[in-house]
Amino acid sequence: ISVMENPDMEIISFAVPVRYPSGENAVSMGLTVPLVRCRASDRKKVIALLRENAENLESQLLNPEGISAQYSPYGGKPCFHP
């Protein structure tokens, strides 16, 4: 999990990994918000929601039914398209 605060730009950014079943990173999921809209108590909620949604995506990687998967020429990793 990454949390970066930039006081000069008055923003805070959050990111969590979404992993393949092998544990390798597939993508990251993130959110950037103005500091004035993100209290300390909100930060814990944002992290929890990002983790929850990353877990949902990971479960779809385990069972990709309903997801169109194409294989990349770069190592054969699946690329998912809605």
Side-chain angles (χ1 to χ4, degrees):
I1 294 177
S2 173
V3 178
M4 298 184 346
E5 190 172 320
N6 186 327
D8 293 336
M9 294 181 71
E10 299 179 358
I11 59 172
I12 186 166
S13 298
F14 304 86
V16 297
V18 177
R19 295 188 171 102
Y20 291 111
S22 67
E24 187 178 3
N25 288 340
V27 295
S28 62
M29 179 183 300
L31 176 72
T32 300
V33 294
L35 280 170
V36 297
R37 294 189 181 161
C38 193
R39 301 178 307 241
S41 61
D42 294 332
R43 295 174 189 196
K44 290 181 180 182
K45 290 177 191 174
V46 167
I47 291 168
L49 287 170
L50 283 172
R51 279 184 173 165
E52 179 182 330
N53 283 286
E55 289 172 4
N56 288 339
L57 283 175
E58 288 171 349
S59 70
Q60 290 181 20
L61 291 173
L62 286 170
N63 183 15
E65 189 174 306
I67 297 176
S68 171
Q70 292 181 329
Y71 286 87
S72 164
Y74 308 104
K77 301 280 191 275
C79 298
F80 293 96
H81 304 280

